[in-house]
């Protein structure tokens, strides 16, 4: 039982590491800052969650002493709540600093609406 | 209104305490109840974070259904990102589109924006009244209705039940 759980946990850890590797490759390959933040956020969030699940399975002993599982659950909730917010702030700051979008970009509704005075320009505070 | 606010924040802090300590000792549970009650009364007396939440069994069931939908979307997002990052031609077609939400509650909008950020190829940049501006890594439709149907609808119909 314990060995099986350990192997499953290691598979989860491997998938998590692969996800984090994808995030790193994405940071290098993507053409502009906006796409880089995108790949970084999604892949690193799932990578962290999968690693925690793997660690929880590997440290499982019995139902009385699974306090690590509870701690990992709290950590997962914190990561899901905070990771998108911090990345959103980075992206918004990049837009406020007028970092250009890549040449592949097809449409920019936010710039159109700023020019039409529907939205205020995001401020670089 | 205030009672509900304090009650929900008490539940959240208490569940966090139980998960962190993972013991059913009388002293530990009583200490947790005391600390949670004090914190929720001091911190959430004036905040309006949980005011709009619906405390019905249906809303509770939808909360779990929402978590399942969200997890499936998160895994799909990662398969999508992996495919785009690792394929040699890098099939991206980025752009910033505008979508509109019917949600009124602040908390529901926060959850919606977070969920959009963690789902396939979309990323919230700016919120202005009912409009959200979303960076989309592979733009499928540039008009407001098409983008709203593709990105927002699946979460919105669940969040509408949870937050009135």
């Amino acid at each position: 039982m314990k060995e099986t759980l350990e192997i499953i946990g290691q598979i989860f850890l491997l998938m998590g590491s692969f996800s984090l590797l994808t995030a790193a490759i994405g940071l290098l390959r993507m053409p502009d800052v906006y796409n880089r933040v995108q790949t970084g956020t999604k892949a690193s969030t799932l990578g962290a969650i999968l690693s925690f699940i793997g660690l929880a399975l590997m440290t499982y002993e019995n139902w009385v002493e699974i306090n690590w599982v509870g701690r990992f659950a709290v950590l997962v909730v914190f990561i899901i709540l905070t990771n998108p917010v911090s990345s959103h702030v980075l992206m918004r700051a990049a837009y406020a600093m007028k970092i250009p979008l890549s040449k592949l970009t097809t449409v920019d509704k936010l710039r159109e609406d700023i020019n039409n005075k529907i939205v205020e320009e995001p401020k670089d505070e | 209104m205030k009672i509900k606010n304090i009650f929900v924040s008490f539940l959240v802090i208490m569940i966090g305490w139980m998960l962190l300590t993972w013991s059913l000792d009388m002293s530990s549970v009583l200490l947790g109840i005391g600390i949670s009650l004090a914190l929720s009364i001091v911190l959430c007396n004036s905040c309006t974070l949980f005011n709009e939440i619906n405390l019905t069994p249906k809303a509770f069931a939808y909360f779990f259904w929402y978590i399942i939908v969200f997890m499936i979307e998160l895994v799909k997002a990662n398969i999508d990102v992996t495919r785009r990052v690792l394929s040699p031609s890098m099939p991206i077609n980025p752009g910033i589109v505008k979508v509109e939400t019917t949600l009124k509650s602040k908390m529901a909008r926060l959850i919606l924006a977070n969920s959009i950020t963690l789902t396939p190829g979309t990323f919230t940049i700016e919120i202005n009244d009912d409009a959200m501006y979303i960076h989309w890594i592979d733009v499928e439709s540039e008009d407001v209705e098409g983008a709203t149907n593709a990105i927002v609808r699946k979460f919105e119909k669940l969040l509408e039940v949870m937050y009135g």
Side-chain angles (χ1 to χ4, degrees):
Chain A
M1 181 63 185
K2 193 163 183 326
E3 281 171 4
T4 325
L5 276 180
E6 204 149 286
I7 291 168
I8 298 171
Q10 281 163 354
I11 292 170
F12 268 100
L13 264 185
L14 198 66
M15 290 196 297
S17 326
F18 179 71
S19 201
L20 292 172
L21 179 69
T22 316
I25 298 174
L27 281 184
L28 287 173
R29 287 200 67 195
M30 284 296 164
D32 66 352
V33 65
Y34 306 96
N35 292 310
R36 283 185 177 144
V37 173
Q38 282 236 28
T39 50
T41 313
K42 293 180 220 312
S44 68
T45 308
L46 191 75
I49 292 172
L50 285 175
S51 309
F52 284 136
I53 293 174
L55 284 171
L57 288 172
M58 283 168 75
T59 53
Y60 177 86
E61 295 278 340
N62 52 49
W63 276 112
V64 188
E65 295 176 26
I66 57 169
N67 46 10
W68 283 106
V69 180
R71 272 162 221 185
F72 289 136
V74 174
L75 275 175
V76 165
V77 171
F78 274 127
I79 284 176
I80 287 180
L81 284 179
T82 56
N83 214 346
V85 177
S86 60
S87 308
H88 158 75
V89 172
L90 278 176
M91 191 110 129
R92 196 165 176 277
Y95 202 90
M97 286 171 71
K98 300 200 173 67
I99 295 176
L101 291 140
S102 87
K103 290 204 173 60
L104 296 166
T105 307
T106 49
V107 59
D108 188 351
K109 283 275 165 67
L110 183 52
R111 179 60 57 201
E112 284 170 26
D113 279 3
I114 288 170
N115 292 340
N116 294 338
K117 301 273 192 296
I118 300 172
V119 193
E120 271 180 53
E121 178 96 41
K123 291 224 170 51
D124 180 16
E125 286 161 327
Chain B
M1 270 300 126
K2 221 179 220 180
I3 300 290
K4 189 160 96 180
N5 208 357
I6 290 173
F7 176 69
V8 176
S9 54
F10 168 76
L11 270 188
V12 171
I13 300 172
M14 192 63 203
I15 290 170
W17 172 272
M18 294 298 282
L19 283 174
L20 283 176
T21 57
W22 201 270
S23 83
L24 288 172
D25 283 350
M26 201 43 134
S27 56
S28 155
V29 172
L30 281 180
L31 187 63
I33 288 174
I35 290 176
S36 316
L37 207 60
L39 274 180
S40 50
I41 287 173
V42 169
L43 295 179
C44 272
N45 213 358
S46 55
C47 75
T48 54
L49 199 56
F50 300 112
N51 265 353
E52 296 117 336
I53 204 165
N54 282 342
L55 287 177
T56 56
K58 198 183 170 198
F60 203 64
Y62 269 71
F63 174 69
F64 282 102
W65 181 235
Y66 183 82
I67 289 178
I68 293 170
V69 170
F70 175 73
M71 279 302 174
I72 293 169
E73 289 294 326
L74 183 58
V75 173
K76 258 163 65 185
N78 275 272
I79 295 169
D80 186 66
V81 163
T82 311
R83 185 174 62 79
R84 283 180 209 287
V85 167
L86 295 182
S87 69
S89 61
M90 220 166 45
I92 60 169
N93 175 28
I96 296 174
V97 296
K98 180 182 181 180
V99 301
E100 267 164 7
T101 173
T102 54
L103 295 170
K104 292 281 168 273
S105 144
K106 278 182 198 163
M107 187 73 175
R109 283 186 179 175
L110 169 72
I111 296 177
L112 182 67
N114 263 6
S115 307
I116 287 172
T117 298
L118 288 175
T119 51
T122 50
F123 202 110
T124 319
I125 291 187
E126 176 76 299
I127 298 184
N128 181 54
D129 290 336
D130 286 346
M132 291 167 123
Y133 296 89
I134 286 170
H135 184 267
W136 203 351
I137 210 166
D138 183 18
V139 175
E140 285 163 17
S141 67
E142 294 184 5
D143 60 325
V144 175
E145 279 96 47
T148 308
N149 282 333
I151 300 173
V152 180
R153 283 284 169 259
K154 58 189 172 229
F155 295 120
E156 209 176 55
K157 59 179 188 251
L158 297 179
L159 284 170
E160 262 169 6
V161 181
M162 284 158 62
Y163 298 90

